[in-house]
Amino acid sequence: MKHTVTLIPGDGIGPEVTAATVRVIAAAGVDINWERYPAGAEALGEYGTPLPESLMTSIKRNRVALKGPVTTPVGTGFTSVNVGLRKALDLYANLRPVKSIPGIKSRFENVDLVVVRENTEDLYSGLEHVVVPGVVESLKIITETASTRIARFACDYARKHKRKKVTAVHKANIMKLSDGLFLDCFRKVSQHYPEIAPEDKIVDNMCMQLVMYPEKYDVLLMENLYGDILSDLCTGLVGGLGLVPGANLGDNIAVFEAVHGSAPDIAGQGKANPTALIMCAVMMLNHLGETDAADRIEKTLFAVLAEGKYLTSDLGGHASTAQYTEAIASRLEAEREAEEAK
Ligand code: NAI
């Protein structure tokens, strides 16, 4: 079956990792019609806006997108394309599975966490203003509706994937109203899931727990900001930002993107590790019902990583993005040819 998927190459290392991912998907034999759109600074020049209407229309029509990272200028400049996209499409759940990969050296070998991050509110409301010169106010918005919705998403996910525990992460000891509401919603929702152990942890303690005992945790439920920060922390537990995929999910709409950003320090040098985005493709293919291709890509990717011959420099190797990608793609093609010859 042919699928149509919106593709946002992004900037920085985005074009390199998306090209690698498109190559691997094609090598696995999945027929995808990619609708490519720029976003961010590149779109600003061409369309006069960092988030063009034609891009939004394409995602709304296709209901599925694969997105490379997009740079957000610090301080002044346009607001985040990533935040804008999530809000405009109501992609309220950010799902980030963080799992140890066999053969990849990291401090732990047994990490199997899922970060569920609320994607639409919190300090990402973008509501900031100058009260008087030298004093700014930034508004943290937490609503019962969004908190209940994301708590239900986390518990449903745990139930569906036979996970045992959901830990809500908060700072309700200090932000008694906002984080208090978030926690309260979780406690109410979790009562309807008797098979799942509900737990909560204050965010500072959670950071310590994760870097010492990650194996004790299962599904982690967080507001937007804690989810952003702790997701990066969690990638560090399994080998770094180059390895962890993610999905932004709404009702019947999905945008798949890695946890990492545009990595301007290595952009254009052929050094980027495309694993995270290829793992996003695995999630996306499962979402599209292409489970056989998803399994083959994951298996081949893990085999190439475990062999250790074609590792990118973030994993201690010397392979370029293209060499690593070809190692995976050529193996997938050879397997398909062997299968067809039978
Ligand atoms: P970053 O994730 O881009 O990079 C952090 C460090 O990890 C860098 O040293 C980088 O070289 C390394 N790294 C990241 N991904 C890698 C990969 N695939 N392979 C090898 N090394 C990798 O975070 P940073 O530098 O804070 O952000 C850069 C830009 O990306 C900012 O403008 C930020 O707003 C944007 N960003 C965009 C995201 C998105 O589009 N979803 C997510 C996070 C940040």
Side-chain angles (χ1 to χ4, degrees), residues 13 17 67-73 82 86 241-242 257-266 271-274 314:
I13 59 168
V17 293
K67 178 183 165 297
V70 177
T71 303
T72 307
N82 310 310
R86 293 167 192 170
L241 277 161
E257 68 175 341
V259 175
H260 66 75
S262 56
D265 53 337
I266 57 164
K271 287 185 180 168
N273 184 351
D314 57 313

Side-chain angles (χ1 to χ4, degrees), residues 51 57 89 99 103 132 213 224 227 237 241 260 270 276 299 309:
L51 204 51
T57 308
L89 298 172
K99 202 166 186 280
V132 291
Y213 319 109
N224 210 341
L237 302 173
L241 277 161
H260 66 75
K299 215 173 106 226
K309 219 169 125 190

Side-chain angles (χ1 to χ4, degrees), residues 96-117:
R96 293 170 162 179
V98 185
K99 202 166 186 280
S100 300
I101 298 179
I104 295 297
K105 284 198 198 79
S106 62
R107 288 179 203 278
F108 303 97
E109 285 170 1
N110 48 359
V111 178
D112 186 7
L113 298 165
V114 178
V115 175
V116 174
R117 165 184 173 192

Side-chain angles (χ1 to χ4, degrees), residues 180-209:
L181 176 60
F182 186 82
L183 183 56
D184 215 32
C185 292
F186 168 66
R187 285 182 174 150
K188 280 188 192 135
V189 166
S190 63
Q191 286 171 10
H192 300 283
Y193 298 79
E195 75 275 37
I196 298 160
E199 181 186 60
D200 72 88
K201 283 265 178 294
I202 293 176
V203 63
D204 32 353
N205 177 23
M206 189 75 231
C207 291
M208 187 275 285
Q209 295 285 336

